[in-house]
Amino acid sequence: MTIRTTLSAGLAAMSLTATLGASTALADPVTVGLITTLSGGGAGLGVDIRDGFQLALSMSGSDAIHLVVEDDAQRPEQAVQIADRMIQSERAQILTGIVWSNLAMAVVPSATAQDVIYVSPNAGPSQLAGAGCTPNYFNAAYQNDTMHEASGAYANVLGYENTFIMAPNYPAGIDALTGFKRYFEGSLAGELFTQLGQTDFAAEIAQIRASGADSIFIFEPGGMGISFMRQYAQSGIDLPIISAAFSFSQDVLPAVGDSALGVINTAEWSPDMDNAANQAFVAGFQEAYGRLPSVYAAQAFDSANLILSALAAADINDLPAFRTAMRAADFDSVRGAFRFGNNQHPIQNYYAREVVSVDGVLTNRMVGTAFEDHQDVYATDCAME
Amino acid sequence: MTAALFLEQVLNGLQLGLMLFLMSAGLTLVFGVMGLINLAHGSLYMIGAFFCAAAAAASGNFWLGLIAGTAAAAAAGALIEVTVLRRLYDRDHLDQVLATFALILVLSELTKIGFGPFPLFLDVPPILSGTVNLGIAHYPLYRLALIGFGLAVALGLWLLIARTRLGIRIRAGENDREMIAALGVNIRALYTLVFALGAGLAGLAGALVGAVQSVQVGMGEPVLILAFVVIVIGGIGSIKGAMVGALMVGVIDTMGRFLLPRLFGHFMEQSQAAGIGAALASMLIYVLMAAVLVIRPKGLFPAHA
């Protein structure tokens, strides 16, 4: 055998495998990389996102998605590494899962620039909703400000006139207070920034007591909210609290305990929402994991169904067609109505929920509507139509 | 600003300081006696809180939980000392930092595996809930109790160090470990005991504070950083220094968070003042630490003056 025939045989074999590879790729499931926080203090949120996403896949019975899950340990640099590995060696075409805005900002711009679709199941930083919006980024949850805007709007409904507002001193905390003030019509009894990760709120509670406020708005996500509510309950102050759902979602309610009872918190979803998709979701989640789903689980469940609906309608290798299918958002959301605005962030209702005890388990019940068909303010800065 | 608000903030500062003392006493003791930098001290605090929450939930009794949390942290401390740290005494501090940092990761994951990823619930005991009338101000009873608890433990620790045979050995170990080994003291057992004592104090602090905070994985690390600030200010290895440093950090941190935003509020817009005041307040204790180190490079009460 001459060198030439060896070469041509080799080339033929290679092109054959390449063709085979291409044809099986069409039949193969699409790889979706789920990067989320599964260790450390924020693990509860990531676990709910993972479980919600997986539940949607198993309930759909579809094998269109091959899911790869990795833990970012709530560290931006680790999330970036995982994203690169998933895109380059696992050939992930869709990424999702990130809980925190700072991690999303580290991962999303570079991933979407590589023509990878990113679907956000939670974080909604303003940069990605406004001038930095991109056709490959879909937010299936909410834009960060909107949850707090809903609190501000509902505080008007409740007749609060002199509210003390408080959030941690970091970008999302500043956005929270800005969002609340954007719609709140009353006056402020005080405005306070706490430290990120703060565990003792005695100094702040003392100032709330002395402020003469008629109500309190807080944004203290994760352990901060648990600590604040415990200490608030011991303080003897009895002012009503309004908040976005983060500190009163199902993942932290058992740890907050009865001191959360009666707190009004705003979100785009509530476990008791009366639609078939939601009832199936809540029942399925309880059966699969033995606990009630949080708002994070609901958003991840919707993210998975959104992706499945687009995969059923279009081939992901034809990216423009796939994006059009994603924008159509043709799936049964657990939130009821769901559609995307021009910046591919949701236009949706926001509800007021009250923490109640049902058979000894703390959960949320819908008590009112804060916004109907609400869109974030950054959408006007987005060049997409 | 009213006198009531000011009094409440002073009490808040004292209470924070005394809880920091429980944390830093163990840390400084271990460093003073054994020459070991233990980054995993915060994990022992976390273990105390988790076992307290679990035992209190199972038995319905906070005090049983408190005992369980303290005992579990002390036992975990002894176990860590015997299995891991014992090999590190002759190594330099960088090796110790590396190994105890690894312990943080291992203990955090073990806690997550054992107790799950979600925060646990731990309520204050009914007898200590509610507020107490101090004449001009209402103050949470549990926080007053924490002040009392902290003072009692500080007194007990002082008696132990100053008045007992074990205390003599601990002090001797700080000064000259070869000599007390030569005099026939079982230095290995002494080290294990000291480490378990420090771990137990951290666990007690975690369990006490767990009732008003979030019992979650990683809860120890923010406190650990403060505890290091405390022992650097107080002088590494000195219990008295830890007490003074803890009270300084507690009061200055609380007062800074309270007064600085108000101060800036006098000459700028409120939301701006809140942001700048909060940012400066979070720096204040580190400024304090730097100032102390400029004047007294070995801290206020250096153990090896």
Side-chain angles (χ1 to χ4, degrees), chain B:
Chain B
M1 179 175 36
T2 63
L5 180 58
F6 195 78
L7 172 71
E8 189 173 349
Q9 298 291 28
V10 171
L11 287 174
N12 287 336
L14 284 179
Q15 182 259 313
L16 179 62
L18 284 162
M19 286 304 107
L20 280 177
F21 169 72
L22 290 188
M23 253 318 254
S24 33
L27 198 61
T28 203
L29 202 60
V30 165
F31 187 84
V33 177
M34 296 147 70
L36 177 86
I37 295 182
N38 178 25
L39 292 187
H41 203 65
S43 302
L44 297 163
Y45 174 88
M46 172 184 75
I47 288 171
F50 269 92
F51 274 87
C52 179
S59 68
N61 186 327
F62 175 80
W63 306 105
L64 280 181
L66 199 61
I67 294 166
T70 311
L79 188 70
I80 289 168
E81 200 276 338
V82 170
T83 52
V84 181
L85 301 180
R86 191 167 273 187
R87 288 153 233 290
L88 297 171
Y89 296 139
D90 301 330
R91 311 285 281 271
D92 70 28
H93 287 323
L94 199 59
D95 291 352
Q96 298 173 354
V97 165
L98 201 60
T100 51
F101 182 70
L103 279 175
I104 293 183
L105 302 179
V106 171
L107 290 173
S108 289
E109 279 317 289
L110 284 179
T111 308
K112 201 188 100 186
I113 292 166
F115 294 96
F118 298 99
L120 293 192
F121 177 72
L122 175 61
D123 205 2
V124 301
I127 192 171
L128 293 179
S129 67
T131 61
V132 60
N133 192 348
L134 297 178
I136 56 168
H138 286 269
Y139 195 70
L141 181 57
Y142 188 72
R143 285 189 187 271
L144 268 191
L146 287 184
I147 293 178
F149 237 110
L151 287 174
V153 172
L155 181 69
L157 202 57
W158 176 75
L159 286 175
L160 177 79
I161 304 273
R163 291 280 188 273
T164 64
R165 178 165 286 271
L166 175 64
I168 295 173
R169 288 184 174 165
I170 290 175
R171 280 181 290 149
E174 282 187 358
N175 285 322
D176 194 335
R177 68 180 86 171
E178 283 83 8
M179 185 55 85
I180 71 158
L183 288 172
V185 173
N186 184 346
I187 193 90
R188 290 193 143 208
L190 179 67
Y191 278 12
T192 308
L193 198 64
V194 168
F195 196 84
L197 175 66
L201 286 174
L204 177 66
L208 284 172
V209 167
V212 285
Q213 281 182 11
S214 167
V215 179
Q216 63 177 12
V217 173
M219 65 186 283
E221 277 73 62
V223 194
L224 178 77
I225 295 170
L226 286 181
F228 268 110
V229 172
V230 164
I231 68 170
V232 168
I233 289 176
I236 294 176
S238 161
I239 297 280
K240 186 165 86 177
M243 186 68 176
V244 175
L247 288 178
M248 281 172 76
V249 167
V251 171
I252 288 178
D253 185 55
T254 304
M255 285 303 175
R257 271 155 52 200
F258 163 47
L259 292 176
L260 279 178
R262 284 171 177 254
L263 181 68
F264 286 104
H266 285 300
F267 44 84
M268 61 176 74
E269 196 245 326
Q270 191 55 43
S271 63
Q272 226 179 349
I276 295 178
L280 277 183
S282 64
M283 278 185 249
L284 210 54
I285 56 167
Y286 303 101
V287 174
L288 169 74
M289 178 171 77
V292 167
L293 288 181
V294 167
I295 301 162
R296 310 274 304 248
K298 292 192 147 205
L300 294 175
F301 301 95
H304 307 278

Side-chain angles (χ1 to χ4, degrees), chain A residues 163-366:
Chain A
T163 301
F164 196 101
I165 63 175
M166 186 173 98
N169 193 17
Y170 79 122
I174 296 163
D175 288 350
L177 296 193
T178 313
F180 180 83
K181 287 191 280 188
R182 194 173 284 143
Y183 284 86
F184 182 55
E185 289 159 2
S187 59
L188 297 181
E191 180 172 0
L192 211 56
F193 283 114
T194 56
Q195 291 172 32
L196 194 60
Q198 184 167 327
T199 52
D200 193 288
F201 292 91
E204 288 74 18
I205 289 170
Q207 294 182 64
I208 291 172
R209 191 199 305 275
S211 71
D214 67 0
S215 53
I216 306 167
F217 166 75
I218 58 159
F219 168 60
E220 295 287 347
M224 293 182 280
I226 300 172
S227 300
F228 175 80
M229 287 307 295
R230 295 273 192 79
Q231 293 163 29
Y232 184 74
Q234 290 301 315
S235 71
I237 311 176
D238 199 20
L239 299 176
I241 292 179
I242 187 163
S243 173
F246 309 109
S247 300
F248 303 95
S249 185
Q250 205 60 49
D251 52 314
V252 289
L253 275 183
V256 177
D258 287 347
S259 46
L261 279 174
V263 170
I264 300 292
N265 61 102
T266 47
E268 79 286 17
W269 172 83
S270 180
D272 61 328
M273 283 185 80
D274 190 18
N275 65 65
N278 189 50
Q279 283 160 357
F281 162 64
V282 174
F285 195 93
Q286 273 184 296
E287 192 187 317
Y289 308 110
R291 61 177 198 273
L292 283 168
S294 67
V295 67
Y296 310 103
Q299 290 160 182
F301 188 84
D302 270 359
S303 301
N305 282 325
L306 167 68
I307 295 171
L308 285 172
S309 75
L311 285 175
D315 178 3
I316 191 164
N317 296 309
D318 179 4
L319 212 48
F322 183 75
R323 284 196 296 247
T324 308
M326 286 286 286
R327 282 181 77 121
D330 184 18
F331 70 103
D332 290 331
S333 168
V334 295
R335 290 165 241 184
F338 180 101
R339 65 189 165 98
F340 281 122
N342 64 316
N343 58 350
Q344 298 180 169
H345 283 60
I347 298 176
Q348 59 191 352
N349 293 357
Y350 290 82
Y351 304 98
R353 321 183 304 171
E354 181 181 357
V355 180
V356 294
S357 177
V358 178
D359 303 331
V361 177
L362 292 175
T363 184
N364 282 290
R365 283 286 169 269
M366 235 160 65

Side-chain angles (χ1 to χ4, degrees), chain A residues 129-149:
Chain A
C133 67
T134 145
N136 292 330
Y137 174 76
F138 294 84
N139 186 313
Y142 56 86
Q143 197 283 316
N144 284 354
D145 295 28
T146 56
M147 289 275 226
H148 311 291
E149 290 169 356

